[in-house]
Amino acid sequence: MSIESELSSQIYRLGELHNDFRNGEFEEMNTLYSDEFQGILYMPSTGTMEMYNAEQIKKGNEDAARYYKGKNIKFIFSGLKILPQSEDQAAVSYEVTHLNDTKIVRAISLEVWKRVDDKWRMIRWYEEKGEVL
């Protein structure tokens, strides 16, 4: 199977797992992060930048699952691009649309995934989140 096929399946699963926050679930999502994970979330509307390591992003997912449990939310991933960098690593980008009741937030995500022990894990992440519409 090609890197593009493997990773597109992984990214679309990641989108499904974001939607599982409404059921209070986050455990499977947290298995997708490398122990060496480094992430940055930038919110231009407030000018704030948040940095995450593996422990922090996993805790953030747990907190999100607790917050969104029972709420009407939907995450839509679109415009997926995959750029293989080697046979075991690729850069990935896509747009995220988050619907929460009557609010819409759009973001662009850039990630680097690496095959570790025969499993794809996210090692780096950068996301720019737009204003609430």
Side-chain angles (χ1 to χ4, degrees):
M1 187 180 300
S2 72
I3 289 174
E4 292 87 350
S5 294
E6 290 178 27
L7 276 174
S8 62
S9 295
Q10 191 81 2
I11 300 306
Y12 288 116
R13 180 66 184 143
L14 182 64
E16 292 170 356
L17 293 171
H18 273 81
N19 287 312
D20 283 345
F21 283 158
R22 68 176 158 241
N23 300 321
E25 297 174 21
F26 63 92
E27 294 87 355
E28 182 181 344
M29 181 186 297
N30 282 354
T31 68
L32 301 179
Y33 298 93
S34 163
D35 291 340
E36 290 77 39
F37 174 84
Q38 296 175 333
I40 299 172
L41 172 62
Y42 180 65
M43 292 173 277
S45 61
T46 61
T48 57
M49 186 177 299
E50 299 174 3
M51 311 284 262
Y52 295 90
N53 61 28
E55 183 179 312
Q56 292 164 325
I57 196 74
K58 291 175 182 181
K59 175 73 168 94
N61 290 336
E62 182 178 355
D63 293 345
R66 190 175 307 116
Y67 175 79
Y68 288 121
K69 186 174 184 177
K71 294 186 178 172
N72 183 22
I73 62 164
K74 184 166 186 164
F75 288 86
I76 302 166
F77 287 22
S78 60
L80 178 61
K81 303 283 186 222
I82 298 171
L83 177 65
Q85 298 174 311
S86 71
E87 64 184 35
D88 291 322
Q89 185 168 304
V92 173
S93 68
Y94 52 91
E95 182 180 323
V96 179
T97 303
H98 174 214
L99 309 169
N100 184 359
D101 294 322
T102 60
K103 300 174 189 165
I104 299 172
V105 177
R106 294 177 64 202
I108 188 79
S109 188
L110 174 62
E111 302 163 354
V112 178
W113 290 71
K114 185 172 185 171
R115 192 183 341 248
V116 178
D117 298 328
D118 239 12
K119 295 180 182 167
W120 286 100
R121 307 270 188 224
M122 190 186 310
I123 60 172
R124 284 185 294 282
W125 167 72
Y126 176 78
E127 186 169 287
E128 289 242 358
K129 204 176 254 191
E131 292 185 27
V132 176
L133 303 174

